[in-house]
Amino acid sequence: MTKQVLFSFAFVFLLLGCKKEVPSTENSGTNENKIAPPRIECFTSDANGSAVSIQLQFNGNEVTGTLNYSLAEKDSNHGTIKGKVENNILIADYTFYSEGTESTRQVAFQFAENKLMEGYGEMTKEGTQFKDVTKLNFNSKMPLIKIDCTE
């Protein structure tokens, strides 16, 4: 009987030694598995009777947000943007309303310190897309300055 008892103890110890640890589902207090909330930034320009404001929500290099133009002596328009940032340049589709009509066109902005510079370039025949986004000029005549989004 002694051999059986020893064998049983050895078997139990062998089973306990092979037990795999299962990760705890309890919150361990670390943020390793939590996804960072999207970053939100706001920019505005108000000069010579013209105003432009943009609110951007960053999720990695994906960007969504709102864009509003109120240019002097022109119809104002407002809408949403959706695009990507690459090499500090945002290329996005701007879906907007002007005079009750919905339209979409491509827009570009370059990030520089705490400013955004709007990009201009040759458009397609339809006037909705840039012909070549690598040949855009970024104008600093009306830079959008970064502001607190609660303003």
Side-chain angles (χ1 to χ4, degrees):
M1 184 165 202
T2 309
K3 283 184 178 180
Q4 286 180 330
V5 171
L6 287 174
F7 181 77
S8 296
F9 279 119
F11 184 73
V12 169
F13 284 116
L14 181 65
L15 284 177
L16 290 174
C18 292
K19 180 182 173 190
K20 288 185 178 181
E21 280 200 36
V22 178
S24 173
T25 57
E26 293 178 25
N27 186 357
S28 63
T30 65
N31 291 331
E32 289 180 32
N33 295 329
K34 292 184 180 178
I35 297 172
R39 183 177 90 243
I40 297 174
E41 294 183 3
C42 297
F43 298 83
T44 189
S45 177
D46 191 359
N48 303 321
S50 293
V52 179
S53 64
I54 188 168
Q55 181 179 40
L56 303 173
Q57 182 171 319
F58 297 85
N59 193 355
N61 70 338
E62 303 278 326
V63 177
T64 57
T66 58
L67 176 58
N68 299 298
Y69 289 98
S70 184
L71 304 176
E73 300 181 26
K74 293 189 178 184
D75 292 327
S76 65
N77 56 70
H78 59 279
T80 60
I81 62 169
K82 183 177 182 179
K84 290 185 178 184
V85 175
E86 290 183 19
N87 300 320
N88 286 330
I89 296 175
L90 168 62
I91 305 292
D93 289 328
Y94 172 46
T95 302
F96 62 97
Y97 296 89
S98 181
E99 295 184 353
T101 302
E102 182 181 87
S103 302
T104 300
R105 71 176 172 90
Q106 198 171 44
V107 294
F109 292 92
Q110 182 179 46
F111 293 87
E113 295 180 20
N114 287 323
K115 299 177 185 174
L116 276 182
M117 312 295 191
E118 188 163 5
Y120 299 92
E122 190 175 355
M123 301 294 281
T124 60
K125 198 176 3 175
E126 297 80 19
T128 59
Q129 300 285 313
F130 294 112
K131 279 190 176 181
D132 186 349
V133 294
T134 64
K135 295 182 179 178
L136 297 176
N137 295 311
F138 293 92
N139 187 338
S140 63
K141 289 181 183 176
M142 198 168 137
L144 284 78
I145 309 298
K146 188 174 183 177
I147 61 167
D148 184 344
C149 290
T150 59
E151 290 183 14

